[in-house]
Amino acid sequence: MLLIVRSLLLAVLLLLAFVFGGIFCILRPRHRDNVHLFARLFSAVAPILGVKVIVRAGKTNPGEPCIFLANHQNNFDMFTHTAAVPKGTVSLGKKSLLWMPLFGQLYWLSGNILIDRKNRTRAFETMAETARKIKEKCLSVWIFPEGTRSRGRGLLPFKAGAFHTAIAAGVPMVPVLASNQCHIKLNRWNNGVVIIEMMEPVATKGLSKANVKELSDKVHATMASKLKQLNAEAAALMGKTVPADIV
């Protein structure tokens, strides 16, 4: 019964968010703060899912653009990670999202950037254009460097695009981690805690393409270590032992 009630309530709330958010985006298409608006609407749904989201904001400079590097676990990212998305930030998503009814069109209209990962040349062009927008429009970009959902498999290997873009734009990279959320079930009343933490910015000024691999490995190791800590902390708050497959 709880599954049915939550599913219906979630569908209604998302529909309302799409309608009112869509109207707002039509009035100011691709505005720099549209994504922040949708993020706030989606993150407000977390309590309805029985999830308590704890956000620990980092020490980023509000006037300085950056690239946020977030771990990507499952569809619940829409209701957890979104609690940490600041103003002046857009996300980078795969081009195929555009063909999803309603969601895809609003994703583009809200100002997000679409990338065709299947076409290497166009993907590089998109990343170069993204670097230009970061510098010229003082715009921050939210990227999932794993490129796919981890689904409880820890932190997957990173793709290089985000690091090339950060170096090209000369902006810092800010890792953002959400503790394990694979335990969330719509038919469970209390889905516990998810901790979102923004880590210290990682500088890229003075680096070149030759430093991408080293930078990627360093950031991945740092984020993987922090993820283990967050998983253990979230599990302790829920009074559970962390399963070996999520640390």
Side-chain angles (χ1 to χ4, degrees), residues 70-75 77 81 144 146-151:
N71 61 323
H72 192 15
Q73 298 182 58
N74 49 37
N75 289 337
D77 288 333
H81 262 305
F144 295 108
E146 295 163 285
T148 188
R149 300 175 183 86
S150 61
R151 301 188 187 282

Side-chain angles (χ1 to χ4, degrees), residues 126-139 165 168-169:
T126 299
M127 299 309 284
E129 178 67 11
T130 299
R132 184 188 65 79
K133 288 182 178 179
I134 291 172
K135 290 188 288 186
E136 294 182 1
K137 299 183 178 182
C138 197
L139 194 68
T165 303

Side-chain angles (χ1 to χ4, degrees), residues 7 29 47 57 81 87 94 103 130 134 149 177 187 201 206 212 228:
S7 297
H81 262 305
K87 290 184 176 181
K94 54 187 179 181
F103 177 82
T130 299
I134 291 172
R149 300 175 183 86
L177 284 163
N187 61 350
V212 166
K228 289 183 179 181

Side-chain angles (χ1 to χ4, degrees), residues 93-152:
K94 54 187 179 181
K95 189 176 180 180
S96 59
L97 289 174
L98 185 61
W99 307 113
M100 292 181 64
L102 190 60
F103 177 82
Q105 294 74 52
L106 285 177
Y107 185 83
W108 177 83
L109 193 61
S110 59
N112 291 300
I113 301 169
L114 295 168
I115 183 171
D116 185 359
R117 292 197 180 103
K118 295 181 179 179
N119 188 315
R120 186 177 179 83
T121 300
R122 289 184 180 178
F124 274 114
E125 291 174 352
T126 299
M127 299 309 284
E129 178 67 11
T130 299
R132 184 188 65 79
K133 288 182 178 179
I134 291 172
K135 290 188 288 186
E136 294 182 1
K137 299 183 178 182
C138 197
L139 194 68
S140 293
V141 181
W142 190 282
I143 298 178
F144 295 108
E146 295 163 285
T148 188
R149 300 175 183 86
S150 61
R151 301 188 187 282

